Each structure stands twice: as C-alpha cells, then as structure tokens.
Amino acid sequence: MIETNRPASVPAEDEPDLLRDQFKQLLRYRRLLGAGVGIGLLGGVYLGISTSDTYVATADIVLRAPTDDPFNPSLAPDKAINIGSERQVALSSSIANEAAKKLGVTAKDFAGLRSGLQVTNPPQTMVLRFTYTASSPKEAATRANAMTEAYLLKRQESLDVTRDKMVKGYQDQRDPVAKNLDELVKQINSMPAGTGRDAAYASKTDLQSKVNTLNGNIAKLQALDMSPGRVTSPATPPSDTDGPGLVMSLALGAAVGLALGLLAAWVRLVFDPAPRSEGDVARALRAPVLGYLPRPKTGGGPLLAAGEEDPRLAEEFRSVAFRLAYDSRFADRRRLLVVAPRGSSETAAAAAVNLAASFAETGKDVLLIEADLRTPVLASQLPTGVGRPRWSQAQGGAAAHGDTDWPDGRQLVVDAGESGDFHLIPGEPVRNVARALTSPRATRLISEADSPNSTVVVLAPPVLSYADALALVDRVDGVLVVCDPRAVHRSDLSRIRELISGAGGTVLGAVLHAPLPGEKRGRGGKAKGSPPAPAPASRPSAPQAQPLTRQPNQGQGQQAHRQAEPEQHIPGDGTDTVALRTVRMGRR
C-alpha cells in the first residue's frame, strides 16, 4: 500500500507562488476592496469638483543684497541674505496690508487675501516664488503681482531705513569731532610759534583723521546700491484651472482607494481566525485535504449525488473515496467516521452517503451506520428497502440481552442507482445516547469491517457540539472531517485533531465545501428560512427485531416488496421512499 495520509508539513513554495496565494486570499474580501475603491472615487470626485474653479498665478523675484560693486565676485549673496527669513517676511501681515491698500481689499476680506498666497524658494537659488490661488484667472494674476510689488516696496523701505540709521550714527559721531577740530584751528592761529603750537598741530592731525574716516564711511553708505531685487517673471492670467481634472482625479482616487482596500483586506486577513487556504486546514488537522466539493447548481444539493444532472459532485466523492482506499491506515481496518466540526451536519451526512455509494461501486459490502441518534433523518431521505444482511450478531439479538434500544436489528438497503446498493443502519432516538453508542451491539456492528471485502462508514453528530463522535473514535480509528473553511476557525480544527488523537483515533483527511445557499457565514451558522429539522418520529412498538444475520440473496427481493401492516409501519422501512432524483439534503 502507498502511504498517502502523512502529517501535513509546510510545502516548499517559491516566492511567486506565495505571493500569488496571498493575492488570491486578499481577493476573498471583495467588500473591503469595493469599499476602498468607492471611498477613493468619492475623494476623486471631491478633488475634481473642488479644483474645477480655482486658478493659480505665479510670479518670481530674484533678491539682491546692497553692494557698492555688483560685479565683485568675492561677495556671496547667500551670505548677506537669509532666504528663510525673507520667505517669512513675504508671508507676513505687513506685506498683505500693503497689497490690500493697493487692491482696495476691505478688512472683511483680508483673511481671504492672505490665505490664497503661497511663497516658496526653489533649492539653491535666491528666488522667491509667489503663487496665488483665486477663483478667476485675472484675480489670481492681479493679486500675485500686487503681493510681489508690496514685498519689494517693503524690502526697499527696510533697506533705506537701515542705511539712514547708519548714516545718522556716523554723522552723530563726526559732528563733535569736527567742532573740536574747528576750535583747535582757531586756537592754533592765535598761538605763537613754539612747543605749544607744535603740540596743537599734532592734535589737529588726529582730529582731522577721525573726521575723514567718518566722512568716508558716510560716503560709502550713501554710495550703496540699495535695490531689493527684481521681478524676473510677472504673474499672468492662467489659461487652465488648477488640479488634475475630473477624469484624472477619478483615476487617482480609484488607485488610492484600491490601495486602501488592499491594506484593509490585508489587516482583515491577518486577524481572520478562519483558515485562509487548504494549506491552513491541512496544517491545523495535520492531515491532507482530500477534496473540495463544488457548489451545487440548485438547492442544497442531492443527498445522493449519483445520477444527478451535474456529475461534478459525484466525481468529487469518487475521488475522495479513491484517495481513502489507497491510504494504508484506512485500508487496514476499513472503518471510517464522518463528522462535521459544529453546527449543521447536513454536508457531512451527504459525504457519508456518497462515500458509501462510491465504496459500493467498487464492489465492497458497505454498511452505513447513522450514529446520529439525536436527529436521525437518513431513513426518511434515502430510497430504501427492507433487507436481511449478513451482519452477524450474537444469537438472540440485542433485545434478548437487553443491551439497549439501538441498534435493534432493523436494517435497510439503499438503492444508489448505477453505483449499486449498500446497507443502512438508521438512527433511532434513545434515552441514553452514550450508552447506545458504546454498547456491545454497536461495537459488533462496527467490527463487521473486519470481514473480507467489507467497509463500514459511520455518521456521527458534530464533534465539537456533542461527545458522540469521541465515543466511537477508538472503534473506528479513521476520521474524515467535513467542513466549510469559512465557517470554522483554525483553533476549532486544531481542537478536533487534539480530541481525536486523545481518544485514540486518526484524522485521515478533510473534505471542504462552500456555504450552503442561504446559510449565514460564521461558526455553525443556520440557514435563513430553512425548514426546521424533522422531529424524531417516535417509533411504535415494532415486532421482534430481525436478527442481523445475512440470508441468501434470493429472499431479499420478496422482502423488499412486502408491505408492513398499518399498525406495524416503521418510518423509513422502504414504504415511504421517493425517487432518487428528487431527494434533497435535509437540514440536520
């Protein structure tokens, strides 16, 4: 035999495959992606509309530092001018006030005048760029030029004030010295020749030198070129509106919205407790994913997929049965327990029925045991007939020994169409489920898989909702988990594996399926408006149960056509069956 059921390990995938898988997982959250794109489009519409009636005019000014020789290469303008400070001055209220006087702007509109101005400095230049935004092209150009003129005027006034203060300071220093010099000259003219006159001449020379120095400084300041700068590019009325336009705004908004949607989907993916892929399911259960059931075309899908118009479901079940048949752990004992994690076991019931039909198609003697004793429905939903199988029991039957009410010896033959037939032990409501499932009678039924060419499939309630499945694990060993990956958490799958391993069983694999039509997403979500589960029919007092010993096949046809008396009618004994093609899965 080939070992196919090995503990799942992380596959060696290359980077493109991992990225492709993550991108596919992000596409699961279509609502988040759609919401992101919608928000981006709304932002694009707002941007396109808000910038459709705005115009921007630009004027450039080159600043100059005061100099007496503009052609002197040793003078660095960037050392004499702090361009950052000049930019702040251009944005100050004093410049706006000067421009408002020229434009005739009232105090009420003064704040709006300042808000439309932006002043920037291109890197590595002594240029100030005045950008003004207004609702009309002419207004934008007029206000931009007014701002530049106001700035140059204020800068010119500031430079002139600075020079006048320095000239006045030098003059204040010179006037006392010049007065002393005049008085000394008068004294020298009246003094006789001699030592005193020579000393007076020396003092006169010192005072004359100071006066000449101060006069030179004053002359140098008065000779400076005080031009604050020049306008290199006056503002002109713009021909187009500001902004990218409505079409470009929509494109940018869609791109930004898609990026936001992908980010939100990634965050949702990180915190999503549900399995993100088949690999997550395999890692949580440490068992392979044996198949993914396709979504049925109509309704909830047939309970028996064989013979339906859509052959995909039947072929998928055949594929799962083939993989199980080549698993050494299943081939050794041929006992299979089919369970769902929690909530509805509708798909698990369909999986158990169709796997039994697939095994019967290969020539196996298949026994399907409905161990769901809480809401048994298989007998009423499958085309059955009364049979007399060979499943051996102790002489006298269960009733003679008084073990329990179930199993009571009743066995049905299920017609699976072209796949053949298999035997069904239908479930019955009992007062003590645990005692019935662990009774010697149930144990002997499951042990019939030890017979040559025999296979036993057991359907149990959800493993996380009831402990019924765990009571059967040590007798069945091989467990098949049927679940919707979007309705179960990874922690649930890990807990299922731990419970089954602790009970002495092995998870052979998982079968995944899509949500049933109308079923809510979530853990164990029920279908909206789904019919309630059929109430367990109270079984009337039946005649003595037939011993579960298989008789020759000649008598099976007569038994199938023999009808029970009205007072002895047993639900699901073959007299209340319907056509195979019209049966649909019931809600469990």
Side-chain angles (χ1 to χ4, degrees), residues 156-438:
Q156 180 72 60
E157 292 178 356
S158 176
L159 293 176
D160 290 342
V161 169
T162 302
R163 182 182 63 177
D164 293 342
K165 285 184 178 180
M166 293 186 68
V167 169
K168 186 177 183 302
Y170 282 131
Q171 289 177 347
D172 292 342
Q173 295 179 33
R174 183 197 62 181
D175 290 344
V177 177
K179 183 178 180 181
N180 293 336
L181 179 60
D182 292 341
E183 292 177 356
L184 183 60
V185 170
K186 292 179 181 180
Q187 292 177 5
I188 290 174
N189 291 334
S190 63
M191 291 178 63
T195 305
R197 188 170 183 171
D198 293 339
Y201 271 112
S203 297
K204 174 186 174 182
T205 303
D206 291 340
L207 292 176
Q208 188 66 49
S209 175
K210 290 181 180 180
V211 170
N212 292 337
T213 300
L214 293 173
N215 286 333
N217 291 338
I218 292 173
K220 186 176 180 180
L221 287 174
Q222 292 176 343
L224 287 176
D225 182 5
M226 303 300 292
S227 299
R230 70 180 189 277
V231 178
T232 59
S233 175
T236 58
S239 58
D240 297 326
T241 60
D242 184 33
L246 184 59
V247 176
M248 185 60 69
S249 298
L250 288 176
L252 291 176
V256 174
L258 181 60
L260 291 177
L262 289 174
L263 177 61
W266 178 79
V267 173
R268 179 68 177 87
L269 179 65
V270 170
F271 293 99
D272 189 2
R276 297 188 291 265
S277 63
E278 294 183 8
D280 285 352
V281 176
R283 282 186 287 271
L285 290 176
R286 296 184 185 177
V289 175
L290 301 178
Y292 202 119
L293 303 182
R295 187 186 298 273
K297 291 183 177 180
T298 58
L303 194 60
L304 260 174
E308 286 294 318
E309 296 180 358
D310 186 8
R312 298 176 303 157
L313 195 59
E315 291 301 326
E316 188 66 28
F317 280 120
R318 290 189 182 99
S319 176
V320 173
F322 180 81
R323 296 189 65 180
L324 285 172
Y326 279 84
D327 191 317
S328 62
R329 281 172 287 188
F330 175 73
D332 289 343
R333 303 194 65 178
R334 301 182 304 282
R335 303 172 184 176
L336 181 65
L337 179 66
V338 181
V339 294
R342 63 171 76 246
S344 172
S345 60
E346 175 181 347
T347 309
V353 171
N354 286 278
L355 287 177
S358 299
F359 289 132
E361 190 174 2
T362 62
K364 300 284 187 181
D365 290 331
V366 182
L367 175 64
L368 174 60
I369 302 176
E370 186 180 15
D372 187 352
L373 306 183
R374 304 176 187 274
T375 55
V377 295
L378 291 186
S380 62
Q381 295 190 3
L382 290 175
T384 58
V386 179
R388 297 178 60 85
R390 65 170 180 82
W391 310 105
S392 59
Q393 299 293 339
Q395 296 294 331
H401 293 284
D403 290 341
T404 182
D405 294 336
W406 184 92
D408 58 357
R410 186 168 62 101
Q411 179 169 322
L412 307 176
V413 177
V414 179
D415 181 11
E418 296 180 355
S419 299
D421 55 31
F422 58 90
H423 302 277
L424 170 66
I425 302 295
E428 289 291 338
V430 296
R431 278 185 273 182
N432 194 321
V433 175
R435 181 179 300 175
L437 294 177
T438 57

Side-chain angles (χ1 to χ4, degrees), residues 144-162:
N145 289 326
M147 287 291 184
T148 57
E149 293 175 4
Y151 170 75
L152 290 177
L153 180 61
K154 283 292 184 180
R155 179 171 168 77
Q156 180 72 60
E157 292 178 356
S158 176
L159 293 176
D160 290 342
V161 169
T162 302

Side-chain angles (χ1 to χ4, degrees), residues 55-56 79 120 146 202 213 306 309 317 344 386 458 469 534 548 564:
Y55 297 86
V56 176
K79 301 297 182 181
T120 58
T213 300
E309 296 180 358
F317 280 120
S344 172
V386 179
V458 182
L548 298 185

